[in-house]
Structure formats: C-alpha cells, structure tokens
Amino acid sequence: MSKPLITIVVPCYNERHVFPLLREALLELAQGLSPRYDVEFLIVDDGSDDGSWEQILAFAGEDQRVKAISLTRNFGHQAALTCGYDFAQGDAVVTMDADLQDPPEVVHDLVREWEKGYDVVYAVRVRREGESRFKCWTASVFYRMIRVLGQTGAPPDSGDFRLMSKRSVAAFRTLRERHRYIRGLVGWLGFRASIVKYQRKPRPAGMTKYTLSRMIQFAVDAIVSSSTVPLRLAYFLALFSALPFLAYLCYAVFMRLFFNVPLVPGWSSLILSVIILGAIILFSMGIMGEYVGRIYEQSKNRPLYLVRSNEEPSHGESAESGEPAPRV
C-alpha cells in the first residue's frame, strides 16, 4: 500500500545565495517525513536571472522527488504560488518561501494538525527575528485591518506558509482572480482550519525581494480584491464632510430669521468647502479607478502565468497557460 504524498511548493526568485541552504533543509525535511509519507518538492522559478534556475535544475537532476518549473518571466510571488498549487499532486500541499525565514521543521507540526482532520493549517508568526520595527508594526496593522475590512477567514499574522488538503487545493484552483491575495482566498474557502504558532527566523543569506513599494502594492491588492469597504468609505466621507456646511447653513438661516442678520456667506467658508468637497471627489474617483482597473484587467482573461520549462511532462495543457490543472 502506497504512502500518502505530501507536496512541498517553494516559489523562488533570485535566491542563488540561499538555495544551497534551502536544498539541505528540504532534504532533511524529507528524511523526517519519509517513514510515513512520500514527499515531492515542486520548486517554481519566478523568472530568476541570477543563476537560481540552474541550481534548481541541478537539484532536480540529483533527486527524482524534485520537480522544477520555470515561468517565462517574473509574474510575482502570488502567481508563482498559484502555479505550484496547479501542479501539486499531493494528498497535502505545503507552501513555503525559499528564504528559510519560515523554518522547514515547522512542517511536521502542520502535518500533525492535518492528521487530526483539518483541511487548512495556518502557520502563524508570533515573532519576527531580523525585521525592523517599522516592518513589524506595519505588518501588524495590515493584518488586523484586512481582517476587519476583507471577507477573509485567515488569522492575523499568517502568511503564505500553510498546509492545505487535497480537496481544499481542488477548491482553490477554481478561484482565478488576476489580482491575487492568496491568504484571503484560502480563508474565504471556509474549510475547517487550525493554526500552528512559530517564530520566524532572519534570512540566512541574500536580500529580501519585498521592497516598500511592493509591500504597498500588495496591501492595495489585498484590500481592493477582498473588500468593497473603500467604496463605501468614499460615500461616508462625502456625507460627513457635508455635515459642517449643512450646520453652517442652518445657523445662517436661524440668524436671519431671529436676529435679522443678512445671509452673506464668508469667503473663507466658501473656499474651504470647495477645497474639501473637491478633494473628496478626487479621492472617490481614485478609489473607483482602482476597482474599474481591476475589472478591466480581469476582463482580458489573460493567463495568470506562463510556463517556459517544466522538468517533467505537463499535467495538462491548461496548466501550461496558467489555468487550473485537471481537477483531483
């Protein structure tokens, strides 16, 4: 009787310096899981240009458990993760970053929770070593804000380090939004979930690929793709900004009726009202533009990613063009 299969998905982008350490960590992880499970490693190269792909190919040539996929260009972390989910064949699928900040040994804890019957097991960070106070603070604010604004069930401080069962992965493959916030999409699925707390480690080598601009863009994508609250916010801003001027109008009418004070509007209040209302109109148009732009991008129906090279034969033509792999 064959053992259950666990697929470890690792998106990789310009990780030449850390890859030798990643390779050893994955082999050690496989050795720990091997008594009860078969293991496959699915490493997705997201358009690296620093020699990472050559290292991935060498690893795949040495170990038949390694499947190497190269995208035609850098489609982004969320697209690379989606590719991994599309090609994964395991009874459980674990996703983790290549920088080793998410310790591979925590996978054993994720698997134990899966064995209890949970379909989704989130790895939740309780501490972030090697990261600035600013990044820790902004991350904390973001996760709590998206939990309030977005229709997601993902716990705060959970990233893309998680385990998903085969049936939850099959359900996830049906979600093909272009601007992806996978943490929110997985939470939206609603499968029975558990959490494992862990301490995030500092990066052992190389540099982070998430610059401040990328983090801001990721936050915007997360909020806009999972919530309509910003649209309602523009409505409430317009309403509340009008209240002071409505109060001023009532005051002016009162003074005219009871104290015979002429209704002569002041220049300052007029200019202030024009500035505030104009700013709110522009702000509201900007918010609507974000949503309309995403509708436009989605309407093109372009693939989420394109595969340049696959170390093994394709699981299906649809997966090669960034569409869901065959249902399992």
Side-chain angles (χ1 to χ4, degrees):
M1 182 177 180
S2 61
K3 294 181 288 187
L5 175 64
I6 294 180
T7 301
I8 311 292
V9 175
V10 184
C12 185
Y13 175 61
N14 286 349
E15 296 292 359
R16 174 173 59 90
H17 297 291
V18 79
F19 192 84
L21 300 175
L22 173 66
R23 179 182 178 279
E24 296 304 317
L26 292 179
L27 291 175
E28 184 177 349
L29 174 61
Q31 185 176 3
L33 293 171
S34 59
R36 292 181 297 164
Y37 299 101
D38 290 326
V39 179
E40 70 169 358
F41 299 114
L42 206 164
I43 305 178
V44 182
D45 178 64
D46 189 22
S48 298
D49 56 10
D50 68 339
S52 297
W53 174 240
E54 287 72 21
Q55 291 181 312
I56 295 171
L57 278 181
F59 188 23
E62 298 168 2
D63 195 320
Q64 62 180 0
R65 297 171 298 184
V66 179
K67 298 179 180 179
I69 298 175
S70 176
L71 304 186
T72 56
R73 63 173 177 83
N74 178 231
F75 285 90
H77 182 261
Q78 301 295 283
L81 277 177
T82 300
C83 175
Y85 280 123
D86 287 345
F87 279 85
Q89 298 296 301
D91 298 286
V93 179
V94 176
T95 53
M96 57 178 289
D97 290 341
D99 57 15
L100 292 179
Q101 287 188 276
D102 299 329
E105 58 268 22
V106 176
V107 173
H108 296 286
D109 298 326
L110 302 179
V111 170
R112 279 192 286 270
E113 291 298 305
W114 171 60
E115 291 172 340
K116 296 177 183 177
Y118 292 102
D119 285 291
V120 180
V121 186
Y122 298 99
V124 176
R125 312 169 184 124
V126 294
R127 187 177 178 184
R128 295 167 171 259
E129 293 186 9
E131 296 183 356
S132 66
R133 291 184 179 181
F134 174 76
K135 185 172 182 179
C136 292
W137 178 77
T138 52
S140 177
V141 170
F142 166 73
Y143 285 122
R144 280 146 187 82
M145 181 174 63
I146 194 64
R147 187 165 179 82
V148 173
L149 298 180
Q151 300 173 352
T152 67
D157 300 309
S158 63
D160 288 311
F161 187 22
R162 73 178 72 84
L163 178 147
M164 295 179 66
S165 67
K166 190 173 187 176
R167 68 172 182 171
S168 64
V169 169
F172 172 79
R173 287 171 177 165
T174 65
L175 308 178
R176 308 307 288 185
E177 289 94 326
R178 180 167 183 80
H179 297 274
R180 306 179 70 75
Y181 176 58
I182 292 180
R183 305 166 200 183
L185 294 177
V186 172
W188 179 88
L189 292 174
F191 284 95
R192 188 165 177 248
S194 178
I195 65 172
V196 168
K197 296 183 178 181
Y198 76 103
Q199 181 171 308
R200 201 169 197 225
K201 295 182 177 180
R203 171 186 275 270
M207 299 292 293
T208 180
K209 309 307 181 296
Y210 259 89
T211 60
L212 179 61
S213 60
R214 285 198 175 194
M215 289 191 293
I216 292 174
Q217 183 60 50
F218 181 70
V220 171
D221 286 341
I223 293 172
V224 174
S225 65
S226 60
S227 175
T228 58
V229 170
L231 290 174
R232 296 172 185 169
L233 176 63
Y235 169 78
F236 284 113
L237 278 175
L239 177 63
F240 283 116
S241 65
L243 290 179
F245 303 107
L246 180 61
Y248 178 77
L249 177 61
C250 294
Y251 167 76
V253 172
F254 176 81
M255 295 298 291
R256 177 66 180 87
L257 293 177
F258 294 97
F259 297 97
N260 199 28
V261 177
L263 295 177
V264 180
W267 180 87
S268 306
S269 59
L270 178 62
I271 294 300
L272 182 62
S273 63
V274 170
I275 292 175
I276 292 178
L277 292 177
I280 290 175
I281 291 172
L282 292 175
F283 177 72
S284 302
M285 290 179 64
I287 292 178
M288 288 187 287
E290 286 288 339
Y291 283 89
V292 171
R294 281 160 172 74
I295 295 172
Y296 171 67
E297 291 290 338
Q298 190 70 29
S299 67
K300 294 178 182 178
N301 200 29
R302 292 179 180 177
L304 301 177
Y305 58 86
L306 293 170
V307 175
R308 176 174 62 87
S309 178
N310 185 5
E311 182 251 347
E312 289 196 349
S314 169
H315 295 305
E317 181 180 352
S318 58
E320 286 291 328
S321 62
E323 294 302 318
R327 299 290 176 257
V328 290

